Amino acid sequence: LAAAPSVFAAGTGASDRLKIGVVGCGGRGIGAVFNCLDADPSVQLWAAGDIFQDMTKRAQDVFKERIPAERNALTDDRCFSGFDAFKGVINSGVDLVILATPPNFRPEHMEEAVKAGVHIFAEKPVAVDPAGVRRVLAAAELAAAKKLSIVAGTQRRHSSVYIETLKRVLAGDIGELVGGQCYWMGGELWHKGRKPEWSETEYQIRNWLYFTRFSGDHIVEQHVHGIDVMNWAFGGPPVKAFGVGGRQTRTDPKYGNIFDHFSIEFEYAGGVRVQGSCRQANGAAVRITERIVGTHGVATPGKITGKNAWKFEGDNPNAYVQEHINLIKAIRSGTPRNEAKAVAESTLTAILGRMAAYTGKEIKYEWALKASTLDLSLPPVFGEVPPEEIAVPGKTPLV
C-alpha cells in the first residue's frame, strides 16, 4: 500500500481499455493493482478475489476509496472468495490477471490463466517445490504457444540500475566471471496471530510466511530476488547447491517450521561459486545487495570497479510500476513477453538451496528439476493439516 500512487491519470476510450483482475488481496496484491493502474491510463480494475471473504471485502473498500470511479469497474458480483476465487477472477472477462496469493497456489493459478487465454503478472516466487516448478514450466510453454505475456515480480529485471549493470557484466566489462555473493539480510516480517474460530489450515494460510508448504521458506519467498540476479548474470541456474541454515532467533512455535537464516554455496557451470546468504532477524545488520566478481573488476548494483569502472547516473523509474508498463506494452504490441521460465528457474534455484540446508546434502539442480518428488500441495479445504516438522540437517530425508 505504501507504494500506491495517490493520483491516477484519467482513463482513455473504451476501445483501449485493459481489464485487470487480482487474485490475492493482501498488501502485495493491492499494491500491484495500484502499480498496474499507474502504468497505463487505460487500465481498469474489473475483478478481485481471495480465499478469505474479509480480505476481498477489505480490498474492495480500499479500491473504492482510492481509485476514481471511471477506472474502478469492480462490482459485488465480480468479487470472489474461497479456494476457487481464482477461477471466478480469471474467467470474469479480464484481459490481465495479477496473481499475488501465497506462492504455493501460483502453479495452479498460472495454469488456469493460460488455459483461459489471459495474460499474467505473477508475483515471485512461482512455486514452493519442484513439482510446482514443473507445472509452471509447462504453463510457460503453453503460454508461448498461445502468444500470451507473463511478467514476474522479479522487478530487478525491470530496474534501470540493474539492467544497465547487467548489460555491462554480460558484455564482458568485468571480464570472465569467477564468483559472487548475494545477500538478503534483513529484519523480521509480520505475524497475524491466531483466532479461536480459525482452523489450522486457515491459521497457516493467514500466517503463510512461516510455513514451508505455503511460502517455500524465506530463502524462496524473499531471497529469490538476489538469486534471480545471479542466474541472470551467469546465464541460467547453477549446477548444484550445498549449504547450511537453521533457527536461532525465531524459535517460538508461532514461527511454524521455517528457518531464520541460510548460507548456500551455488556452483555454476565451470566451477564458479556464488554464496547466497539470507537472514530475518531484528536488531542485526542489514545487507540487501548483490556482488558479481570478474577477472577485470567487480559489479554491484549501479557500479563497476576495476578496469572498466562505471557508475550509474541515469533515471531509475519505480521498477514496481515499470514491470507493469513493460507487460502492458507487450500485450498492446502483440509481441509477447514471457518471463515464466526465468522466474521458475530462479524459484527452483532457491528451493534447491533450501533443500540443501534442510537435508545437509549437496544437491544437483537437474536432479531437483527432473527426479525430486517433493510436492507440498494440500487439498483445497479448511480443517486440520499434517504437521510440518522443523528440518534437521542429516536427518531430514531428501525427497
Side-chain angles (χ1 to χ4, degrees):
L1 286 177
S6 58
V7 178
F8 297 105
T12 58
S15 61
D16 297 323
R17 190 167 292 150
L18 195 69
K19 297 176 181 177
I20 69 167
V22 59
V23 181
C25 293
R28 183 77 284 270
I30 292 174
V33 167
F34 286 124
N35 297 149
C36 192
L37 288 166
D38 203 38
D40 189 291
S42 63
V43 169
Q44 183 183 55
L45 178 60
W46 187 255
D50 193 278
I51 289 177
F52 304 115
Q53 186 175 23
D54 62 296
M55 296 294 287
T56 304
K57 181 62 169 63
R58 167 181 171 266
Q60 186 179 16
D61 292 342
V62 170
F63 294 144
K64 184 176 181 180
E65 178 183 349
R66 300 184 64 175
I67 301 175
E70 67 271 16
R71 303 198 64 190
N72 184 2
L74 195 59
T75 57
D76 289 344
D77 63 338
R78 289 198 294 273
C79 287
F80 304 92
S81 60
F83 280 99
D84 62 351
F86 71 100
K87 294 182 179 180
V89 173
I90 289 169
N91 296 291
S92 68
V94 296
D95 304 296
L96 165 64
V97 65
I98 294 168
L99 302 178
T101 63
N104 70 316
F105 298 109
R106 199 90 70 244
E108 182 179 17
H109 295 179
M110 292 180 74
E111 288 172 342
E112 182 73 16
V114 171
K115 177 183 174 183
V118 173
H119 301 285
I120 298 170
F121 175 78
E123 259 305 341
K124 56 74 211 165
V126 291
V128 299
D129 50 40
V133 169
R134 288 190 283 267
R135 294 174 70 179
V136 172
L137 289 171
E141 291 185 5
L142 182 57
K146 298 179 77 166
K147 301 187 184 305
L148 295 172
S149 286
I150 302 176
V151 163
T154 43
Q155 67 274 105
R156 283 161 168 74
R157 295 202 184 226
H158 301 266
S159 161
S160 296
V161 169
Y162 278 89
I163 291 170
E164 290 301 316
T165 304
L166 269 294
K167 181 168 69 177
R168 287 162 172 79
V169 169
L170 295 173
D173 282 19
I174 64 171
E176 181 182 355
L177 303 189
V178 294
Q181 300 83 35
C182 57
Y183 308 91
W184 198 294
M185 312 287 273
E188 296 181 7
L189 301 178
W190 49 264
H191 192 287
K192 295 187 176 180
R194 184 190 290 269
K195 294 186 178 180
E197 64 268 26
W198 291 349
S199 68
E200 183 62 24
T201 305
E202 180 167 356
Y203 167 73
Q204 290 192 16
I205 295 176
R206 288 188 184 270
N207 291 283
W208 59 272
L209 290 175
Y210 305 103
F211 298 92
T212 304
R213 61 165 58 104
F214 292 117
S215 70
D217 209 319
H218 67 99
I219 188 175
V220 179
E221 196 280 324
Q222 190 176 65
H223 193 38
V224 68
H225 284 298
I227 289 169
D228 182 64
V229 172
M230 290 301 170
N231 281 1
W232 184 4
F234 286 90
V239 175
K240 58 185 177 180
F242 180 69
V244 297
R247 288 164 66 100
Q248 190 171 13
T249 63
R250 293 191 304 208
T251 58
D252 191 288
K254 76 175 187 178
Y255 294 118
N257 72 314
I258 69 168
F259 283 3
D260 55 32
H261 65 277
F262 291 87
S263 183
I264 308 297
E265 177 190 88
F266 296 104
E267 184 173 323
Y268 287 82
V272 178
R273 299 183 181 189
V274 168
Q275 196 70 24
S277 302
C278 59
R279 178 190 63 216
Q280 290 182 339
N282 292 336
V286 173
R287 180 182 293 179
I288 302 171
T289 191
E290 300 82 28
R291 185 173 179 269
I292 305 165
V293 182
T295 53
H296 296 156
V298 175
T300 54
K303 185 178 181 180
I304 289 176
T305 57
K307 183 177 179 180
N308 298 301
W310 164 82
K311 184 177 180 181
F312 180 82
E313 295 180 345
D315 294 330
N316 189 37
N318 184 346
Y320 285 93
V321 176
Q322 190 64 46
E323 57 193 0
H324 290 277
I325 292 173
N326 294 341
L327 173 56
I328 293 168
K329 180 180 179 181
I331 294 170
R332 294 203 183 285
S333 69
T335 306
R337 180 173 184 141
N338 191 334
E339 300 177 359
K341 182 174 184 289
V343 71
E345 289 177 342
S346 294
T347 296
L348 185 57
T349 302
I351 292 169
L352 187 72
R354 181 196 76 213
M355 294 170 69
Y358 276 14
T359 65
K361 308 292 186 182
E362 184 175 81
I363 309 172
K364 291 184 177 180
Y365 180 92
E366 282 296 305
W367 179 88
L369 177 64
K370 297 177 179 178
S372 173
T373 59
L374 184 63
D375 184 342
L376 301 177
S377 60
L378 291 171
V381 294
F382 288 120
E384 297 304 307
V385 293
E388 280 198 301
E389 295 184 357
I390 298 170
V392 179
K395 295 183 178 180
T396 296
L398 180 61
V399 179

